[in-house]
Amino acid sequence: MSYQFPPQIIEALQQAKHIMALTGAGTSAESGVPTFRDAQTGLWAQYDPQELATPDAWARNPQLVWEWYTWRRNLVAEARPNAGHYALAKMAQHANQFTLVTQNIDNLHQEAGSSNVIELHGNLRRIKGANSGCVYPNWEAFTGSPPQEPVSGEYMRPDVVWFGEILPEVQLLSAIEASQACDVYLLIGTSSLVHPAASLVVNALRNQATVIEINPNPTPITEYATYAIPHPSGEILPALVTAVWG
Ligand code: BV8
């Protein structure tokens, strides 16, 4: 990796009172999990994720949506955390205060050892009653496409936030609080196109926090970031943790 960290980045992280990290699908790209911007592969090439990840798609064709998520779950089940996930878990041990907020639903931060992960968009490992919202920790216990809750007969759905659905209140409020309190905001592997997650950085910018974007491609935030590091997070994050904390 040819990137040299400006000394100001090292200093900002060493002196940070509260580091917040917001991660997106790019953080899992090096684990082989396709991002939303990647073209869907194979069977799903003809579908647009933003069409399938919606209550309307579920109402129209719950079986298709369930099978799409089963395909994604199997894809994620084969994925392992990459060096970027492990680096964020390590950063949390060094930082005075560290808040990890993710838009991802692949559970890879938890598998890398991160705790207290704030999941803004849910988690593909869990399913919930489509009407009751009653959450079940694993979907293997159920059969059917989509499965039905044995007693009530209600359909089960993935415990994720679809487009047009409100985000879980506690998680969103925690993320907002951290974005307002942090003095370093890491924006990692996200196109910053999906709201309200994408607008959290505005709170950090408003408070003159040091905003560090890690993304090989430019985003709508790049020009406002204090530093933009155009490299993959799986490479940069371990190098950054070593450069800052040895
Ligand atoms: C809501 C779970 C309100 C499901 C997801 C305000 C302004 C504008 C629009 C809206 C707004 N408020 C609401 C909206 C509408 C909508 C929205 O934002 N639409 C966008 C498309 C314009 N938002 C919503 O609907 C949200 N709900 O606000 O409700 C409301 C109010 C009242 C009543 C009802 C509702 C809900 C949004 C959550 C949707 N669910 N996921 C599932 O996954 O199936 S979002 C989903 O897409 C992901 O979770 C993720 O968040 C998003 C994709 O974004 P990224 O993670 O950034 O991934 P992406 O592929 O886009 O980019 C990857 C990046 O990684 C790229 O930049 C790439 O360069 C980079 N990269 C690649 N490789 C690497 C890398 N970076 C580093 N290292 C690498 N190796």
Side-chain angles (χ1 to χ4, degrees):
M1 185 193 75
S2 58
Y3 187 77
Q4 288 301 315
F5 296 107
Q8 298 87 334
I9 286 187
I10 310 285
E11 201 178 321
L13 283 161
Q14 280 171 341
Q15 293 171 7
K17 295 183 185 63
H18 183 171
I19 300 171
M20 170 171 166
L22 174 69
T23 64
T27 315
S28 300
E30 289 152 277
S31 296
V33 179
T35 69
F36 265 67
R37 299 304 126 192
D38 290 341
Q40 291 286 316
T41 56
L43 174 67
W44 302 101
Q46 73 271 34
Y47 294 104
D48 169 3
Q50 282 173 15
E51 289 304 310
L52 280 177
T54 64
D56 291 349
W58 173 260
R60 268 197 315 274
N61 192 337
Q63 182 174 354
L64 176 69
V65 173
W66 179 264
E67 285 169 3
W68 181 53
Y69 278 97
T70 302
W71 173 71
R72 289 177 63 192
R73 251 195 304 267
N74 295 335
L75 209 62
V76 165
E78 288 161 20
R80 294 289 164 266
N82 62 62
H85 293 106
Y86 289 110
L88 287 171
K90 204 169 168 193
M91 189 181 290
Q93 292 161 3
H94 291 291
N96 289 317
Q97 187 175 356
F98 184 78
T99 305
L100 176 58
V101 180
T102 189
Q103 302 172 88
N104 300 338
I105 60 174
D106 55 30
N107 206 60
L108 290 179
H109 284 303
Q110 290 91 329
E111 286 187 27
S114 289
S115 49
N116 308 317
V117 180
I118 297 174
E119 298 175 320
L120 291 181
H121 297 157
N123 189 309
L124 204 42
R125 298 239 162 174
R126 300 189 299 264
I127 61 173
K128 64 180 180 183
N131 307 321
S132 65
C134 182
V135 175
Y136 294 80
N138 62 44
W139 49 282
E140 296 86 355
F142 294 86
T143 56
S145 178
Q148 289 179 271
E149 204 281 326
V151 176
S152 66
E154 73 170 333
Y155 275 143
M156 308 303 287
R157 55 163 278 187
D159 183 21
V160 298
V161 179
W162 283 332
F163 289 99
E165 292 187 318
I166 50 176
L167 275 59
E169 190 181 356
V170 169
Q171 286 81 343
L172 181 56
L173 289 178
S174 304
I176 291 170
E177 257 172 47
S179 68
Q180 291 168 333
C182 68
D183 45 350
V184 175
Y185 189 101
L186 299 172
L187 189 56
I188 308 166
T190 179
S191 58
S192 289
L193 294 174
V194 174
H195 293 268
S199 40
L200 290 167
V201 69
V202 174
N203 299 328
L205 289 165
R206 195 175 287 138
N207 293 341
Q208 280 87 43
T210 300
V211 173
I212 303 167
E213 183 179 50
I214 299 173
N215 190 328
N217 303 305
T219 73
I221 303 299
T222 304
E223 64 179 292
Y224 303 102
T226 320
Y227 303 98
I229 303 177
H231 285 272
S233 51
E235 281 176 32
I236 280 295
L237 286 170
L240 185 60
V241 170
T242 304
V244 177
W245 291 287

